[in-house]
Amino acid sequence: MRSSATRPSLQAPPGRYLKERLIQGIFFLCASLAIIVTVVTIWIFLSGSGIFFTKVSMWEFLSGTRWAPLDVARPSYGALPLIVGTLIITGIALLIAVPIGLLSAIYLSEFASERVRRIAKPVLEILAGIPTVVYGYFALLFVTPLLSTVLPDIQFWNALSAGIVLGIAIIPLVSSLSEDVIYAVPRALREGAYALGATKFETIRLVILPAAISGIAAAFILAMSRAIGETMIVAIAAGRVPTWPPDLLRPLQTLTVHIVNVATGDAEAGAFIWATIFAIGALLFVITFLLNLLSYWIVRRFREQYE
Amino acid sequence: MTTQTLQRDRRLLAWRKTKSTLFGSLTFSTILISFALLVALFVYILVSARPMMAMRATAQAGLVLSTMVVQWDARNIPYVIVTDFIPDSAAARAGIEEFDVITRVGLKPVSRSAEVWEVVARWPHDAVPVSWISRDRTRIFGELMPQADPSTGAMRIVIDYLPEESLGWQAGLRPGDQIVRVENIPVTGTRQAWEALIVAAHQKPRPEPFIVEIERAGELRTVALEVEQTAQIPITRSWWHAIWDFLTSYDSNSPEKAGLASAIAGSFYLVGLTALFALPLAVGAALYLEEYASKNWLTDLIQLLIANLAGVPSVIYGIIGLEILARSLKMDRVLIAGALTMTLLVLPMMIIAAREALRTIPDSIRHAAYAVGATRWQVVRAHVLPYALPGILTGLIIALSRAMGEAALLILLGAFQYLTFIPGLWSYFTVIPIQIFTWIGEAKDGFANIAAAAIIVLLVILLAMNGLAIFLRIKFQRRW
């Protein structure tokens, strides 16, 4: 008794290491969920679109200009109108979001006083937090009527207003990502430029932007990926009809909207139309996954430059 | 020579400075644009939601309305009818019945239900004069019969039966009269005789007798017919009542009666379940990556995949959820399936946020605990987690507010439903964003207004969630 009190055991209580290992194992399982989800996703899309591609050739899918999977007499599975529609909406959105987002980021990190920053940043955060159905409502019932005063030919559902509002929705994404990279440009670079007599504009244009360009490119790519995957704004405001050739003032359909169309339609569970959402989904998944990978890779490479 | 150079340099310098200022203003203007857009969005939604109060007050007074269209002279002429008869309502007591045509409200002609609500919203008194034409034909013309004229063979519209208490009888019409013209509109069919009244009523600036030309025993006569009836209908307009009614009633085919009850319950249920599923998984994964993992290819891969999964479009998760839960596990498209799928969507975001919270805990805390002999789990449980918890919860709430506004994923999981009950775990469900989406798609007047009202409810909930996150951050924030 006495000896054990004076000489504390260095041995851990029995089971302690087992418990430690068990807990670590559980946490590892949680983390490995990311691998499981990715693998399952890839498997689901491979097997799901496998059914689709036994009936429709890959070439027809990617180059056909008539998307009419619900046409009973003459179904046609050319996804080009959807792909081009997605690219058009994404293009308009980026045209809006990239200049505004980038310039806001420059303002916030280079020009704004602390007081202005405290007001301006929440504005962008609120824009980022607004659900996309709300943007869809805004596009359909506010932006389209507004545009119709300038463009009388515009239809109730059209690509233009959906693209513009989608652009507004991703402004905060562009601005916060670019602000992070602009902020990460070392102070020494700025001060070096000022010491040489450069004005603020020259410093930004010749020093900061070139230094931050890879991060800005990553932001651009993420914004693109987000725009390609955006669903609700387009489903509400761009109409749900595939058109070929595409027209900004007329309705068009994107990849995501086709998926929504099938899900809200009344097709039976086993119908072939459900196979199309796997083919479309696989396309969407591959595009966004590659874009995300690219931006992740750029950001990593960029980060290592200054750390 | 030197002064010239100096001047040129000065000009150049001034120009460079101006460029800088101009660029500064340009960048500032983009912030103003964002601000203006935000204000425009909020103002537009508030303005669009405003008629909701008048809508519900009108419906409560017994006027559940619908806009119909009559074809006239190749034109589409809209008119308002009462689609729902509410016994014991103010309108019912005034004598308005189902399918009666509302011609004017506040003595102004109305042809769309939205116009009715607008007048009601602006009417300064508690009782609004409402005029209507009774759909019950016997009150006006009795039963009409098309007959061939024995001499010419042309079609005549003749009154076949007319009760003595009818408006037509009181105005002097009798059975056997042939109706020739209503307010100068030639009558050639029985339905047209009736529709002529609606068209004529819209052209009159105020309720006054209609001139009906009839032929009785071979001679033409005119009769002044009081077609429109007018009554003062008491309407109580209360913001609180309208809002409460909107929040507690179920979806309906009439925008005046449709409410958000199922959607609000569904949203909270879904987000609560998502939190329950996602929090332990996110914390576990974040703890593994921050506290346990050694730097190797597997850890790198997991990080890469998490970053990528955070950017995968939500419809993709919808398809995965549909395939795994609904198809493979034969689950119906019920609320719990929605919550499980939503967990997949928010998990990457929450892991990233939880990792950031864990990274703010300085290593000195960990080292101190290790120094007194704590095991890794003891360090995590007793020191790292408690300190990081507010940060983790903040990240959780922000990820959940994303789930609260998410619609695309749930459309695939079948939340696109017409629901008139409070959803449970294993029942079909709907959520606020989907309810908004459904209402935006409705063509009927008024649905856009209640969609705006639902948007306000959604934004208030999101604001409360973000407020809670900010509160947690401020209250428990530590500086190390």
Side-chain angles (χ1 to χ4, degrees):
Chain A
M1 279 298 279
R2 197 157 180 260
S3 64
S4 68
T6 48
R7 206 154 40 81
S9 162
L10 288 176
Q11 206 78 52
R16 174 180 263 194
Y17 293 114
L18 191 69
K19 189 179 161 199
E20 285 288 319
R21 297 232 87 155
L22 199 69
I23 287 167
Q24 179 166 359
I26 292 169
F27 289 163
F28 174 72
L29 278 183
C30 293
S32 62
L33 209 60
I35 302 178
I36 298 170
V37 170
T38 311
V39 170
V40 167
T41 305
I42 292 171
W43 182 74
I44 284 175
F45 281 119
L46 276 181
S47 64
S49 51
I51 300 168
F52 179 80
F53 286 116
T54 53
K55 203 175 155 187
V56 182
S57 78
M58 182 74 93
W59 176 246
E60 188 197 337
F61 178 64
L62 289 178
S63 68
T65 55
R66 186 169 165 269
W67 181 255
L70 283 172
D71 190 335
V72 185
R74 212 161 54 87
S76 165
Y77 302 96
L80 203 58
L82 306 189
I83 298 170
V84 172
T86 306
L87 291 180
I88 286 175
I89 300 258
T90 306
I92 302 170
L94 290 177
L95 230 49
I96 300 278
V98 171
I100 295 184
L102 186 56
L103 288 175
S104 315
I106 292 173
Y107 178 76
L108 286 176
S109 60
E110 301 297 317
F111 290 95
S113 67
E114 195 47 42
R115 262 216 357 243
V116 178
R117 256 177 82 91
R118 270 214 298 272
I119 302 167
K121 280 209 81 160
V123 169
L124 290 170
E125 276 166 22
I126 294 171
L127 272 180
I130 291 175
T132 49
V133 265
V134 180
Y135 280 116
Y137 183 90
F138 189 64
L140 183 69
L141 298 172
F142 181 78
V143 176
T144 299
L146 205 66
L147 287 174
S148 71
T149 58
V150 192
L151 304 160
D153 289 344
I154 204 160
Q155 298 194 2
F156 183 64
W157 285 292
N158 62 81
L160 190 59
S161 73
I164 290 173
V165 174
L166 176 53
I168 296 171
I170 58 177
I171 287 173
L173 179 78
V174 177
S175 81
S176 77
L177 289 173
S178 347
E179 200 203 335
D180 286 346
V181 287
I182 291 172
Y183 197 77
V185 172
R187 239 194 132 62
L189 284 185
R190 279 187 190 87
E191 275 162 11
Y194 290 138
L196 289 172
T199 63
K200 211 157 203 176
F201 175 57
E202 288 156 353
T203 311
I204 292 166
R205 193 167 67 92
L206 301 169
V207 177
I208 294 174
L209 286 186
I213 193 71
S214 55
I216 292 169
F220 179 85
I221 291 166
L222 271 188
M224 191 195 275
S225 148
R226 170 79 204 279
I228 289 174
E230 173 49 46
T231 310
M232 296 315 290
I233 298 175
V234 191
I236 293 171
R240 288 153 75 170
V241 205
T243 44
W244 189 263
D247 184 342
L248 288 189
L249 304 184
R250 284 171 53 204
L252 58 71
Q253 192 176 332
T254 64
L255 295 169
T256 49
V257 173
H258 171 68
I259 299 173
V260 170
N261 269 358
V262 174
T264 55
D266 45 11
E268 301 161 39
F272 185 69
I273 184 88
W274 285 98
T276 62
I277 71 169
F278 288 100
I280 297 281
L283 191 60
L284 205 57
F285 182 70
V286 169
I287 296 172
T288 51
F289 204 81
L290 288 180
L291 287 175
N292 293 346
L293 263 182
L294 186 63
S295 84
Y296 184 81
W297 176 75
I298 291 175
V299 166
R300 280 215 125 180
R301 226 187 114 221
F302 170 75
R303 203 179 269 164
E304 276 160 15
Q305 271 177 13
Y306 292 117
E307 265 171 16
Chain B
M1 197 64 198
T2 35
T3 47
Q4 255 183 349
T5 324
L6 202 64
Q7 263 178 352
R8 209 184 57 212
D9 281 357
R10 258 197 208 129
R11 265 206 306 274
L12 190 66
L13 187 65
W15 169 233
R16 286 168 59 203
K17 276 185 178 165
T18 323
K19 260 207 302 199
S20 202
T21 324
L22 282 178
F23 184 69
S25 337
L26 178 68
T27 57
F28 180 60
S29 70
T30 60
I31 296 283
L32 287 184
I33 289 174
S34 300
F35 189 69
L37 286 170
L38 195 64
V39 171
L41 191 122
F42 282 149
V43 168
Y44 179 69
I45 285 167
L46 280 174
V47 168
S48 312
R50 209 170 169 273
M52 195 197 68
M53 182 180 72
M55 275 163 65
R56 299 196 99 82
T58 325
Q60 215 206 345
L63 298 172
V64 181
L65 305 173
S66 207
T67 306
M68 308 293 271
V69 169
V70 54
Q71 281 269 336
W72 196 270
D73 274 359
R75 278 179 304 149
N76 286 329
I77 295 174
Y79 66 99
V80 185
I81 67 164
V82 177
T83 42
D84 206 347
F85 180 72
I86 303 172
D88 251 11
S89 63
R93 283 194 295 274
I96 297 179
E97 290 171 343
E98 200 169 8
F99 306 129
D100 283 359
V101 178
I102 304 293
T103 48
R104 47 195 100 231
V105 176
L107 304 175
K108 262 178 61 185
V110 288
S111 53
R112 302 192 67 94
S113 28
E115 289 170 10
V116 177
W117 301 322
E118 197 176 321
V119 175
V120 167
R122 289 177 185 190
W123 195 253
H125 312 293
D126 283 343
V128 187
V130 172
S131 308
W132 72 96
I133 302 176
S134 176
R135 184 74 190 190
D136 186 355
R137 291 158 201 229
T138 59
R139 291 240 174 102
I140 301 166
F141 288 139
E143 300 284 343
L144 294 171
M145 267 288 254
Q147 285 179 358
D149 192 312
S151 52
T152 61
M155 199 54 90
R156 316 166 347 129
I157 306 302
V158 176
I159 297 177
D160 193 41
Y161 158 77
L162 191 68
E164 282 185 28
E165 68 275 10
S166 65
L167 295 168
W169 184 283
Q170 285 158 19
L173 294 178
R174 292 295 177 268
D177 290 352
Q178 181 203 341
I179 296 179
V180 184
R181 265 190 275 267
V182 172
E183 284 288 318
N184 281 329
I185 301 169
V187 173
T188 53
T190 52
R191 213 185 82 197
Q192 201 198 5
W194 158 251
E195 285 173 351
L197 295 176
I198 298 171
V199 176
H202 280 133
Q203 287 160 357
K204 286 179 174 294
R206 60 189 158 275
E208 53 188 24
F210 284 40
I211 306 302
V212 178
E213 289 171 55
I214 56 167
E215 196 183 314
R216 183 183 294 165
E219 66 183 280
L220 282 172
R221 294 168 179 226
T222 55
V223 170
L225 191 60
E226 293 271 3
V227 176
E228 288 175 88
Q229 292 165 273
T230 304
Q232 296 277 334
I233 299 205
I235 288 178
T236 40
R237 284 152 297 188
S238 134
W239 270 111
W240 289 117
H241 188 277
I243 292 169
W244 180 250
D245 190 38
F246 179 62
L247 293 180
T248 54
S249 31
Y250 297 116
D251 199 3
S252 157
N253 290 325
S254 318
E256 302 101 310
K257 290 166 75 194
L260 261 188
S262 325
I264 292 175
S267 271
F268 276 104
Y269 226 147
L270 183 96
V271 169
L273 276 178
T274 305
L276 212 63
F277 296 148
L279 182 65
L281 292 173
V283 172
L287 281 177
Y288 178 77
L289 291 174
E290 285 299 314
E291 307 288 328
Y292 288 89
S294 43
K295 198 166 164 45
N296 56 23
W297 65 271
L298 190 62
T299 315
D300 277 350
L301 179 70
I302 291 175
Q303 289 189 21
L304 174 79
L305 291 180
I306 288 173
N308 270 302
L309 287 175
V312 168
S314 50
V315 265
I316 298 287
Y317 285 108
I319 297 178
I320 302 169
L322 181 72
E323 182 63 18
I324 299 180
L325 298 169
R327 298 278 179 72
S328 305
L329 298 180
K330 303 280 176 233
M331 246 176 172
D332 223 340
R333 299 204 236 168
V334 291
L335 202 144
I336 198 155
L340 284 169
T341 315
M342 191 61 94
T343 306
L344 289 184
L345 176 75
V346 296
L347 208 48
M349 276 182 277
M350 276 168 60
I351 294 174
I352 291 169
R355 286 186 66 186
E356 259 157 38
L358 290 173
R359 235 176 274 154
T360 59
I361 313 296
D363 271 346
S364 53
I365 301 271
R366 296 184 183 88
H367 293 160
Y370 284 131
V372 294
T375 64
R376 192 164 271 196
W377 168 238
Q378 284 168 334
V379 172
V380 166
R381 199 198 52 193
H383 301 273
V384 176
L385 259 190
Y387 288 135
L389 205 57
I392 293 175
L393 288 181
T394 309
L396 171 89
I397 293 168
I398 287 171
L400 288 180
S401 69
R402 165 95 194 270
M404 191 58 116
E406 177 60 47
L409 176 149
L410 294 172
I411 284 180
L412 278 149
L413 277 135
F416 193 63
Q417 307 271 354
Y418 181 82
L419 228 62
T420 50
F421 57 88
I422 296 288
L425 268 191
W426 296 95
S427 77
Y428 293 114
F429 67 108
T430 187
V431 292
I432 304 173
I434 303 240
Q435 188 72 73
I436 295 169
F437 178 62
T438 325
W439 284 342
I440 293 174
E442 297 270 355
K444 226 167 154 184
D445 270 351
F447 273 110
N449 303 113
I450 59 169
I455 286 174
I456 293 174
V457 173
L458 181 61
L459 291 179
V460 167
I461 293 172
L462 291 178
L463 193 72
M465 289 174 78
N466 284 292
L468 184 65
I470 292 168
F471 170 77
L472 280 176
R473 194 159 62 197
I474 291 170
K475 178 135 169 82
F476 295 103
Q477 197 172 42
R478 273 164 196 273
R479 291 198 182 277
W480 301 99

